[in-house]
Amino acid sequence: MEKTNELNKFLSYVHMGTSIYRIYYEHAEKLKNKKLLKLITDILEIFKTHEEKITKLINEEDEEATNSLTAAGIMGVTMEKLKMVDNEFSICTNAIKATYMGMISALKFLNENKKMHTSIKGAIIIVIDDYERIVKMIKDFIIDEYCWKNCT
């Protein structure tokens, strides 16, 4: 039961990331940037795989997976909604910051739950690796959009 509670807590963090990236998607829609919309859609698909994997691990313990955010998660999403984001660069830099925060939270989760089963730790490590991949995707988008096109 304790293991499931901790996994549900982690799952709520992943839900928070999904909610925050949906906000970035809404901002990108307003800017009508198709490349940025595609990038965020691809990232949301990565988050979806994380949600599915963690949900499966919880269900395998005959427990119910959460579909909600923690109070801190709700506050984090609300704060993200309040940020003034009016260009692609701001969306991307906010997304990088949020992803790094998620990575740090996932690393802390691993540190605080050292006795979890190897399969669970492996799933969390995949999430951490994917966060690193997400940051690289965003960084490459920024470089392609701003450094090569606008700096020549």
Side-chain angles (χ1 to χ4, degrees):
M1 183 68 163
E2 180 65 27
K3 174 172 69 173
T4 304
N5 287 338
E6 289 302 311
L7 266 179
N8 263 320
K9 183 176 164 184
F10 185 79
L11 181 58
S12 72
Y13 297 157
V14 177
H15 290 324
M16 179 178 158
T18 301
S19 297
I20 288 172
Y21 269 91
R22 285 186 185 131
I23 294 167
Y24 300 147
Y25 186 89
E26 291 170 11
H27 289 307
E29 274 187 319
K30 291 176 190 168
L31 298 173
K32 297 180 171 94
N33 184 320
K34 290 180 182 179
K35 286 183 182 178
L36 183 56
L37 286 168
K38 169 81 169 96
L39 172 65
I40 296 170
T41 299
D42 291 346
I43 292 168
L44 283 167
E45 285 299 314
I46 294 169
F47 274 94
K48 181 180 174 185
T49 64
H50 297 162
E51 289 174 330
E52 290 169 350
K53 178 64 175 173
I54 303 303
T55 296
K56 182 180 177 197
L57 288 170
I58 293 168
N59 291 339
E60 286 173 356
E61 297 293 321
D62 291 324
E63 297 287 339
E64 189 163 334
T66 188
N67 288 318
S68 59
L69 301 174
T70 62
I74 292 168
M75 282 181 31
V77 170
T78 302
M79 294 299 292
E80 204 61 39
K81 283 182 182 179
L82 296 174
K83 288 183 181 175
M84 297 301 291
V85 179
D86 58 359
N87 61 60
E88 292 88 348
F89 188 79
S90 293
I91 292 169
C92 290
T93 55
N94 283 327
I96 289 171
K97 289 177 201 172
T99 305
Y100 275 133
M101 286 176 54
M103 183 186 296
I104 290 167
S105 292
L107 288 166
K108 284 180 183 177
F109 180 86
L110 272 181
N111 185 53
E112 293 166 1
N113 295 281
K114 293 177 180 118
K115 294 184 180 186
M116 286 199 154
H117 191 273
T118 306
S119 64
I120 296 170
K121 288 180 187 176
I124 306 303
I125 291 168
I126 288 170
V127 170
I128 293 166
D129 289 344
D130 282 346
Y131 287 171
E132 188 173 7
R133 185 166 55 106
I134 288 167
V135 168
K136 183 181 181 331
M137 290 164 64
I138 299 166
K139 176 198 66 137
D140 290 347
F141 172 83
I142 291 171
I143 290 170
D144 289 345
E145 287 296 304
Y146 291 98
C147 292
W148 297 126
K149 288 183 180 170
N150 297 325
C151 298
T152 55

PDB file of all heavy atoms in Angstrom, residues 44-78:
ATOM      1  N   LEU A  44       3.825  15.859 -25.409  1.00  0.00           N
ATOM      2  CA  LEU A  44       2.636  15.361 -24.706  1.00  0.00           C
ATOM      3  C   LEU A  44       2.468  13.856 -24.897  1.00  0.00           C
ATOM      4  O   LEU A  44       2.024  13.160 -23.985  1.00  0.00           O
ATOM      5  CB  LEU A  44       1.381  16.114 -25.173  1.00  0.00           C
ATOM      6  CG  LEU A  44       1.221  17.518 -24.590  1.00  0.00           C
ATOM      7  CD1 LEU A  44       0.139  18.292 -25.347  1.00  0.00           C
ATOM      8  CD2 LEU A  44       0.896  17.455 -23.097  1.00  0.00           C
ATOM      9  N   GLU A  45       2.859  13.350 -26.056  1.00  0.00           N
ATOM     10  CA  GLU A  45       2.821  11.896 -26.289  1.00  0.00           C
ATOM     11  C   GLU A  45       3.809  11.165 -25.373  1.00  0.00           C
ATOM     12  O   GLU A  45       3.507  10.073 -24.885  1.00  0.00           O
ATOM     13  CB  GLU A  45       3.111  11.574 -27.758  1.00  0.00           C
ATOM     14  CG  GLU A  45       1.951  11.872 -28.686  1.00  0.00           C
ATOM     15  CD  GLU A  45       0.707  11.059 -28.346  1.00  0.00           C
ATOM     16  OE1 GLU A  45       0.817   9.839 -28.125  1.00  0.00           O
ATOM     17  OE2 GLU A  45      -0.387  11.657 -28.280  1.00  0.00           O
ATOM     18  N   ILE A  46       4.952  11.770 -25.141  1.00  0.00           N
ATOM     19  CA  ILE A  46       5.925  11.176 -24.218  1.00  0.00           C
ATOM     20  C   ILE A  46       5.322  11.123 -22.815  1.00  0.00           C
ATOM     21  O   ILE A  46       5.400  10.091 -22.134  1.00  0.00           O
ATOM     22  CB  ILE A  46       7.257  11.963 -24.236  1.00  0.00           C
ATOM     23  CG1 ILE A  46       7.937  11.838 -25.609  1.00  0.00           C
ATOM     24  CG2 ILE A  46       8.186  11.484 -23.116  1.00  0.00           C
ATOM     25  CD1 ILE A  46       9.110  12.786 -25.822  1.00  0.00           C
ATOM     26  N   PHE A  47       4.717  12.220 -22.392  1.00  0.00           N
ATOM     27  CA  PHE A  47       4.068  12.246 -21.080  1.00  0.00           C
ATOM     28  C   PHE A  47       2.962  11.192 -20.990  1.00  0.00           C
ATOM     29  O   PHE A  47       2.792  10.554 -19.945  1.00  0.00           O
ATOM     30  CB  PHE A  47       3.498  13.635 -20.771  1.00  0.00           C
ATOM     31  CG  PHE A  47       4.495  14.568 -20.153  1.00  0.00           C
ATOM     32  CD1 PHE A  47       5.230  15.440 -20.940  1.00  0.00           C
ATOM     33  CD2 PHE A  47       4.702  14.588 -18.789  1.00  0.00           C
ATOM     34  CE1 PHE A  47       6.152  16.301 -20.385  1.00  0.00           C
ATOM     35  CE2 PHE A  47       5.617  15.452 -18.208  1.00  0.00           C
ATOM     36  CZ  PHE A  47       6.354  16.313 -19.015  1.00  0.00           C
ATOM     37  N   LYS A  48       2.236  11.012 -22.070  1.00  0.00           N
ATOM     38  CA  LYS A  48       1.162  10.005 -22.084  1.00  0.00           C
ATOM     39  C   LYS A  48       1.735   8.604 -21.836  1.00  0.00           C
ATOM     40  O   LYS A  48       1.151   7.822 -21.076  1.00  0.00           O
ATOM     41  CB  LYS A  48       0.431  10.049 -23.424  1.00  0.00           C
ATOM     42  CG  LYS A  48      -0.715   9.082 -23.541  1.00  0.00           C
ATOM     43  CD  LYS A  48      -1.396   9.191 -24.902  1.00  0.00           C
ATOM     44  CE  LYS A  48      -2.447   8.133 -25.059  1.00  0.00           C
ATOM     45  NZ  LYS A  48      -3.039   8.147 -26.397  1.00  0.00           N
ATOM     46  N   THR A  49       2.872   8.295 -22.447  1.00  0.00           N
ATOM     47  CA  THR A  49       3.475   6.978 -22.218  1.00  0.00           C
ATOM     48  C   THR A  49       3.901   6.824 -20.763  1.00  0.00           C
ATOM     49  O   THR A  49       3.778   5.737 -20.195  1.00  0.00           O
ATOM     50  CB  THR A  49       4.681   6.712 -23.148  1.00  0.00           C
ATOM     51  OG1 THR A  49       5.723   7.636 -22.864  1.00  0.00           O
ATOM     52  CG2 THR A  49       4.289   6.781 -24.607  1.00  0.00           C
ATOM     53  N   HIS A  50       4.382   7.922 -20.145  1.00  0.00           N
ATOM     54  CA  HIS A  50       4.750   7.873 -18.734  1.00  0.00           C
ATOM     55  C   HIS A  50       3.519   7.599 -17.870  1.00  0.00           C
ATOM     56  O   HIS A  50       3.568   6.761 -16.957  1.00  0.00           O
ATOM     57  CB  HIS A  50       5.387   9.184 -18.283  1.00  0.00           C
ATOM     58  CG  HIS A  50       6.665   9.494 -18.979  1.00  0.00           C
ATOM     59  ND1 HIS A  50       7.201  10.769 -18.992  1.00  0.00           N
ATOM     60  CD2 HIS A  50       7.522   8.728 -19.700  1.00  0.00           C
ATOM     61  CE1 HIS A  50       8.328  10.766 -19.675  1.00  0.00           C
ATOM     62  NE2 HIS A  50       8.543   9.537 -20.122  1.00  0.00           N
ATOM     63  N   GLU A  51       2.445   8.311 -18.157  1.00  0.00           N
ATOM     64  CA  GLU A  51       1.206   8.113 -17.393  1.00  0.00           C
ATOM     65  C   GLU A  51       0.718   6.675 -17.519  1.00  0.00           C
ATOM     66  O   GLU A  51       0.326   6.053 -16.518  1.00  0.00           O
ATOM     67  CB  GLU A  51       0.123   9.089 -17.871  1.00  0.00           C
ATOM     68  CG  GLU A  51       0.385  10.521 -17.472  1.00  0.00           C
ATOM     69  CD  GLU A  51      -0.595  11.512 -18.069  1.00  0.00           C
ATOM     70  OE1 GLU A  51      -1.120  11.271 -19.176  1.00  0.00           O
ATOM     71  OE2 GLU A  51      -0.827  12.535 -17.423  1.00  0.00           O
ATOM     72  N   GLU A  52       0.758   6.149 -18.722  1.00  0.00           N
ATOM     73  CA  GLU A  52       0.296   4.770 -18.945  1.00  0.00           C
ATOM     74  C   GLU A  52       1.173   3.762 -18.208  1.00  0.00           C
ATOM     75  O   GLU A  52       0.662   2.817 -17.602  1.00  0.00           O
ATOM     76  CB  GLU A  52       0.269   4.459 -20.447  1.00  0.00           C
ATOM     77  CG  GLU A  52      -0.819   5.205 -21.187  1.00  0.00           C
ATOM     78  CD  GLU A  52      -0.697   5.128 -22.696  1.00  0.00           C
ATOM     79  OE1 GLU A  52       0.344   4.646 -23.212  1.00  0.00           O
ATOM     80  OE2 GLU A  52      -1.654   5.559 -23.375  1.00  0.00           O
ATOM     81  N   LYS A  53       2.489   3.941 -18.243  1.00  0.00           N
ATOM     82  CA  LYS A  53       3.409   2.996 -17.605  1.00  0.00           C
ATOM     83  C   LYS A  53       3.247   3.014 -16.081  1.00  0.00           C
ATOM     84  O   LYS A  53       3.162   1.952 -15.449  1.00  0.00           O
ATOM     85  CB  LYS A  53       4.860   3.336 -17.996  1.00  0.00           C
ATOM     86  CG  LYS A  53       5.902   2.449 -17.344  1.00  0.00           C
ATOM     87  CD  LYS A  53       5.783   1.011 -17.764  1.00  0.00           C
ATOM     88  CE  LYS A  53       6.906   0.182 -17.183  1.00  0.00           C
ATOM     89  NZ  LYS A  53       6.752  -1.235 -17.437  1.00  0.00           N
ATOM     90  N   ILE A  54       3.194   4.197 -15.494  1.00  0.00           N
ATOM     91  CA  ILE A  54       3.064   4.293 -14.033  1.00  0.00           C
ATOM     92  C   ILE A  54       1.685   3.790 -13.596  1.00  0.00           C
ATOM     93  O   ILE A  54       1.563   3.083 -12.591  1.00  0.00           O
ATOM     94  CB  ILE A  54       3.331   5.730 -13.541  1.00  0.00           C
ATOM     95  CG1 ILE A  54       4.717   6.228 -13.977  1.00  0.00           C
ATOM     96  CG2 ILE A  54       3.160   5.827 -12.020  1.00  0.00           C
ATOM     97  CD1 ILE A  54       5.887   5.389 -13.545  1.00  0.00           C
ATOM     98  N   THR A  55       0.662   4.109 -14.371  1.00  0.00           N
ATOM     99  CA  THR A  55      -0.695   3.605 -14.071  1.00  0.00           C
ATOM    100  C   THR A  55      -0.706   2.082 -14.097  1.00  0.00           C
ATOM    101  O   THR A  55      -1.278   1.439 -13.214  1.00  0.00           O
ATOM    102  CB  THR A  55      -1.713   4.170 -15.084  1.00  0.00           C
ATOM    103  OG1 THR A  55      -1.758   5.598 -14.914  1.00  0.00           O
ATOM    104  CG2 THR A  55      -3.097   3.598 -14.871  1.00  0.00           C
ATOM    105  N   LYS A  56      -0.045   1.493 -15.080  1.00  0.00           N
ATOM    106  CA  LYS A  56       0.020   0.031 -15.181  1.00  0.00           C
ATOM    107  C   LYS A  56       0.712  -0.574 -13.954  1.00  0.00           C
ATOM    108  O   LYS A  56       0.240  -1.583 -13.409  1.00  0.00           O
ATOM    109  CB  LYS A  56       0.750  -0.369 -16.465  1.00  0.00           C
ATOM    110  CG  LYS A  56       0.816  -1.863 -16.689  1.00  0.00           C
ATOM    111  CD  LYS A  56       1.543  -2.206 -17.975  1.00  0.00           C
ATOM    112  CE  LYS A  56       1.636  -3.719 -18.106  1.00  0.00           C
ATOM    113  NZ  LYS A  56       2.626  -4.138 -19.060  1.00  0.00           N
ATOM    114  N   LEU A  57       1.793   0.042 -13.515  1.00  0.00           N
ATOM    115  CA  LEU A  57       2.503  -0.460 -12.332  1.00  0.00           C
ATOM    116  C   LEU A  57       1.609  -0.420 -11.089  1.00  0.00           C
ATOM    117  O   LEU A  57       1.619  -1.338 -10.275  1.00  0.00           O
ATOM    118  CB  LEU A  57       3.772   0.358 -12.085  1.00  0.00           C
ATOM    119  CG  LEU A  57       4.927   0.138 -13.057  1.00  0.00           C
ATOM    120  CD1 LEU A  57       6.012   1.187 -12.850  1.00  0.00           C
ATOM    121  CD2 LEU A  57       5.498  -1.263 -12.916  1.00  0.00           C
ATOM    122  N   ILE A  58       0.818   0.637 -10.971  1.00  0.00           N
ATOM    123  CA  ILE A  58      -0.095   0.755  -9.827  1.00  0.00           C
ATOM    124  C   ILE A  58      -1.205  -0.285  -9.931  1.00  0.00           C
ATOM    125  O   ILE A  58      -1.528  -0.960  -8.945  1.00  0.00           O
ATOM    126  CB  ILE A  58      -0.674   2.190  -9.744  1.00  0.00           C
ATOM    127  CG1 ILE A  58       0.447   3.177  -9.395  1.00  0.00           C
ATOM    128  CG2 ILE A  58      -1.813   2.264  -8.717  1.00  0.00           C
ATOM    129  CD1 ILE A  58       0.078   4.637  -9.561  1.00  0.00           C
ATOM    130  N   ASN A  59      -1.752  -0.439 -11.122  1.00  0.00           N
ATOM    131  CA  ASN A  59      -2.830  -1.414 -11.327  1.00  0.00           C
ATOM    132  C   ASN A  59      -2.356  -2.843 -11.083  1.00  0.00           C
ATOM    133  O   ASN A  59      -3.131  -3.687 -10.629  1.00  0.00           O
ATOM    134  CB  ASN A  59      -3.430  -1.280 -12.721  1.00  0.00           C
ATOM    135  CG  ASN A  59      -4.212   0.005 -12.894  1.00  0.00           C
ATOM    136  OD1 ASN A  59      -4.644   0.627 -11.922  1.00  0.00           O
ATOM    137  ND2 ASN A  59      -4.391   0.428 -14.131  1.00  0.00           N
ATOM    138  N   GLU A  60      -1.096  -3.115 -11.374  1.00  0.00           N
ATOM    139  CA  GLU A  60      -0.533  -4.447 -11.127  1.00  0.00           C
ATOM    140  C   GLU A  60      -0.493  -4.773  -9.632  1.00  0.00           C
ATOM    141  O   GLU A  60      -0.417  -5.937  -9.256  1.00  0.00           O
ATOM    142  CB  GLU A  60       0.870  -4.551 -11.731  1.00  0.00           C
ATOM    143  CG  GLU A  60       0.855  -4.668 -13.236  1.00  0.00           C
ATOM    144  CD  GLU A  60       2.235  -4.598 -13.867  1.00  0.00           C
ATOM    145  OE1 GLU A  60       3.246  -4.370 -13.142  1.00  0.00           O
ATOM    146  OE2 GLU A  60       2.314  -4.758 -15.100  1.00  0.00           O
ATOM    147  N   GLU A  61      -0.560  -3.752  -8.799  1.00  0.00           N
ATOM    148  CA  GLU A  61      -0.614  -3.942  -7.341  1.00  0.00           C
ATOM    149  C   GLU A  61      -2.064  -4.014  -6.856  1.00  0.00           C
ATOM    150  O   GLU A  61      -2.323  -3.938  -5.656  1.00  0.00           O
ATOM    151  CB  GLU A  61       0.106  -2.780  -6.636  1.00  0.00           C
ATOM    152  CG  GLU A  61       1.578  -2.687  -6.946  1.00  0.00           C
ATOM    153  CD  GLU A  61       2.370  -3.858  -6.396  1.00  0.00           C
ATOM    154  OE1 GLU A  61       2.085  -4.309  -5.278  1.00  0.00           O
ATOM    155  OE2 GLU A  61       3.277  -4.328  -7.111  1.00  0.00           O
ATOM    156  N   ASP A  62      -3.010  -4.149  -7.789  1.00  0.00           N
ATOM    157  CA  ASP A  62      -4.446  -4.172  -7.484  1.00  0.00           C
ATOM    158  C   ASP A  62      -4.896  -2.925  -6.735  1.00  0.00           C
ATOM    159  O   ASP A  62      -5.767  -2.974  -5.869  1.00  0.00           O
ATOM    160  CB  ASP A  62      -4.830  -5.439  -6.697  1.00  0.00           C
ATOM    161  CG  ASP A  62      -4.709  -6.691  -7.551  1.00  0.00           C
ATOM    162  OD1 ASP A  62      -5.004  -6.612  -8.761  1.00  0.00           O
ATOM    163  OD2 ASP A  62      -4.303  -7.735  -6.999  1.00  0.00           O
ATOM    164  N   GLU A  63      -4.310  -1.809  -7.093  1.00  0.00           N
ATOM    165  CA  GLU A  63      -4.679  -0.512  -6.526  1.00  0.00           C
ATOM    166  C   GLU A  63      -5.174   0.381  -7.654  1.00  0.00           C
ATOM    167  O   GLU A  63      -4.958   0.102  -8.833  1.00  0.00           O
ATOM    168  CB  GLU A  63      -3.467   0.136  -5.834  1.00  0.00           C
ATOM    169  CG  GLU A  63      -2.935  -0.645  -4.658  1.00  0.00           C
ATOM    170  CD  GLU A  63      -3.822  -0.583  -3.426  1.00  0.00           C
ATOM    171  OE1 GLU A  63      -4.641   0.348  -3.312  1.00  0.00           O
ATOM    172  OE2 GLU A  63      -3.693  -1.475  -2.570  1.00  0.00           O
ATOM    173  N   GLU A  64      -5.813   1.469  -7.264  1.00  0.00           N
ATOM    174  CA  GLU A  64      -6.340   2.406  -8.253  1.00  0.00           C
ATOM    175  C   GLU A  64      -5.365   3.564  -8.434  1.00  0.00           C
ATOM    176  O   GLU A  64      -4.897   4.160  -7.464  1.00  0.00           O
ATOM    177  CB  GLU A  64      -7.702   2.938  -7.808  1.00  0.00           C
ATOM    178  CG  GLU A  64      -8.370   3.745  -8.896  1.00  0.00           C
ATOM    179  CD  GLU A  64      -9.851   3.920  -8.647  1.00  0.00           C
ATOM    180  OE1 GLU A  64     -10.453   3.080  -7.962  1.00  0.00           O
ATOM    181  OE2 GLU A  64     -10.390   4.920  -9.148  1.00  0.00           O
ATOM    182  N   ALA A  65      -5.082   3.866  -9.683  1.00  0.00           N
ATOM    183  CA  ALA A  65      -4.182   4.970 -10.014  1.00  0.00           C
ATOM    184  C   ALA A  65      -4.928   6.294  -9.950  1.00  0.00           C
ATOM    185  O   ALA A  65      -6.098   6.386 -10.339  1.00  0.00           O
ATOM    186  CB  ALA A  65      -3.597   4.762 -11.408  1.00  0.00           C
ATOM    187  N   THR A  66      -4.242   7.308  -9.469  1.00  0.00           N
ATOM    188  CA  THR A  66      -4.846   8.629  -9.368  1.00  0.00           C
ATOM    189  C   THR A  66      -4.945   9.289 -10.747  1.00  0.00           C
ATOM    190  O   THR A  66      -4.116   9.046 -11.624  1.00  0.00           O
ATOM    191  CB  THR A  66      -4.036   9.536  -8.411  1.00  0.00           C
ATOM    192  OG1 THR A  66      -4.764  10.743  -8.214  1.00  0.00           O
ATOM    193  CG2 THR A  66      -2.657   9.854  -8.954  1.00  0.00           C
ATOM    194  N   ASN A  67      -5.959  10.102 -10.892  1.00  0.00           N
ATOM    195  CA  ASN A  67      -6.105  10.907 -12.100  1.00  0.00           C
ATOM    196  C   ASN A  67      -6.005  12.387 -11.772  1.00  0.00           C
ATOM    197  O   ASN A  67      -6.281  13.232 -12.612  1.00  0.00           O
ATOM    198  CB  ASN A  67      -7.460  10.637 -12.773  1.00  0.00           C
ATOM    199  CG  ASN A  67      -7.497   9.276 -13.415  1.00  0.00           C
ATOM    200  OD1 ASN A  67      -6.529   8.866 -14.051  1.00  0.00           O
ATOM    201  ND2 ASN A  67      -8.589   8.568 -13.249  1.00  0.00           N
ATOM    202  N   SER A  68      -5.638  12.694 -10.540  1.00  0.00           N
ATOM    203  CA  SER A  68      -5.672  14.083 -10.098  1.00  0.00           C
ATOM    204  C   SER A  68      -4.284  14.578  -9.713  1.00  0.00           C
ATOM    205  O   SER A  68      -3.324  13.818  -9.621  1.00  0.00           O
ATOM    206  CB  SER A  68      -6.631  14.225  -8.916  1.00  0.00           C
ATOM    207  OG  SER A  68      -6.224  13.400  -7.854  1.00  0.00           O
ATOM    208  N   LEU A  69      -4.233  15.877  -9.470  1.00  0.00           N
ATOM    209  CA  LEU A  69      -3.004  16.531  -9.042  1.00  0.00           C
ATOM    210  C   LEU A  69      -3.017  16.695  -7.526  1.00  0.00           C
ATOM    211  O   LEU A  69      -4.082  16.773  -6.913  1.00  0.00           O
ATOM    212  CB  LEU A  69      -2.895  17.926  -9.679  1.00  0.00           C
ATOM    213  CG  LEU A  69      -2.892  18.003 -11.193  1.00  0.00           C
ATOM    214  CD1 LEU A  69      -2.933  19.453 -11.645  1.00  0.00           C
ATOM    215  CD2 LEU A  69      -1.671  17.317 -11.756  1.00  0.00           C
ATOM    216  N   THR A  70      -1.842  16.791  -6.945  1.00  0.00           N
ATOM    217  CA  THR A  70      -1.742  17.151  -5.536  1.00  0.00           C
ATOM    218  C   THR A  70      -2.058  18.644  -5.413  1.00  0.00           C
ATOM    219  O   THR A  70      -2.119  19.365  -6.417  1.00  0.00           O
ATOM    220  CB  THR A  70      -0.320  16.900  -5.001  1.00  0.00           C
ATOM    221  OG1 THR A  70       0.592  17.741  -5.729  1.00  0.00           O
ATOM    222  CG2 THR A  70       0.087  15.440  -5.146  1.00  0.00           C
ATOM    223  N   ALA A  71      -2.227  19.112  -4.182  1.00  0.00           N
ATOM    224  CA  ALA A  71      -2.464  20.549  -3.963  1.00  0.00           C
ATOM    225  C   ALA A  71      -1.305  21.366  -4.523  1.00  0.00           C
ATOM    226  O   ALA A  71      -1.511  22.406  -5.172  1.00  0.00           O
ATOM    227  CB  ALA A  71      -2.665  20.830  -2.481  1.00  0.00           C
ATOM    228  N   ALA A  72      -0.084  20.891  -4.301  1.00  0.00           N
ATOM    229  CA  ALA A  72       1.091  21.584  -4.848  1.00  0.00           C
ATOM    230  C   ALA A  72       1.068  21.571  -6.375  1.00  0.00           C
ATOM    231  O   ALA A  72       1.449  22.552  -7.020  1.00  0.00           O
ATOM    232  CB  ALA A  72       2.369  20.938  -4.326  1.00  0.00           C
ATOM    233  N   GLY A  73       0.608  20.468  -6.952  1.00  0.00           N
ATOM    234  CA  GLY A  73       0.500  20.378  -8.406  1.00  0.00           C
ATOM    235  C   GLY A  73      -0.503  21.366  -8.966  1.00  0.00           C
ATOM    236  O   GLY A  73      -0.255  22.010  -9.992  1.00  0.00           O
ATOM    237  N   ILE A  74      -1.628  21.497  -8.285  1.00  0.00           N
ATOM    238  CA  ILE A  74      -2.647  22.466  -8.722  1.00  0.00           C
ATOM    239  C   ILE A  74      -2.081  23.878  -8.658  1.00  0.00           C
ATOM    240  O   ILE A  74      -2.268  24.675  -9.583  1.00  0.00           O
ATOM    241  CB  ILE A  74      -3.922  22.325  -7.851  1.00  0.00           C
ATOM    242  CG1 ILE A  74      -4.595  20.981  -8.134  1.00  0.00           C
ATOM    243  CG2 ILE A  74      -4.885  23.490  -8.098  1.00  0.00           C
ATOM    244  CD1 ILE A  74      -5.681  20.605  -7.144  1.00  0.00           C
ATOM    245  N   MET A  75      -1.350  24.171  -7.582  1.00  0.00           N
ATOM    246  CA  MET A  75      -0.733  25.497  -7.460  1.00  0.00           C
ATOM    247  C   MET A  75       0.293  25.724  -8.569  1.00  0.00           C
ATOM    248  O   MET A  75       0.347  26.809  -9.161  1.00  0.00           O
ATOM    249  CB  MET A  75      -0.076  25.662  -6.090  1.00  0.00           C
ATOM    250  CG  MET A  75      -1.055  25.949  -4.999  1.00  0.00           C
ATOM    251  SD  MET A  75      -0.328  26.186  -3.353  1.00  0.00           S
ATOM    252  CE  MET A  75       1.255  26.867  -3.637  1.00  0.00           C
ATOM    253  N   GLY A  76       1.093  24.711  -8.870  1.00  0.00           N
ATOM    254  CA  GLY A  76       2.103  24.834  -9.919  1.00  0.00           C
ATOM    255  C   GLY A  76       1.484  25.100 -11.282  1.00  0.00           C
ATOM    256  O   GLY A  76       1.952  25.961 -12.030  1.00  0.00           O
ATOM    257  N   VAL A  77       0.412  24.390 -11.583  1.00  0.00           N
ATOM    258  CA  VAL A  77      -0.268  24.588 -12.865  1.00  0.00           C
ATOM    259  C   VAL A  77      -0.891  25.987 -12.916  1.00  0.00           C
ATOM    260  O   VAL A  77      -0.792  26.686 -13.929  1.00  0.00           O
ATOM    261  CB  VAL A  77      -1.334  23.486 -13.095  1.00  0.00           C
ATOM    262  CG1 VAL A  77      -2.209  23.809 -14.293  1.00  0.00           C
ATOM    263  CG2 VAL A  77      -0.650  22.131 -13.280  1.00  0.00           C
ATOM    264  N   THR A  78      -1.490  26.403 -11.815  1.00  0.00           N
ATOM    265  CA  THR A  78      -2.089  27.737 -11.750  1.00  0.00           C
ATOM    266  C   THR A  78      -1.038  28.819 -11.950  1.00  0.00           C
ATOM    267  O   THR A  78      -1.263  29.777 -12.706  1.00  0.00           O
ATOM    268  CB  THR A  78      -2.816  27.942 -10.409  1.00  0.00           C
ATOM    269  OG1 THR A  78      -3.825  26.936 -10.269  1.00  0.00           O
ATOM    270  CG2 THR A  78      -3.454  29.315 -10.321  1.00  0.00           C
TER     271      THR A  78
END
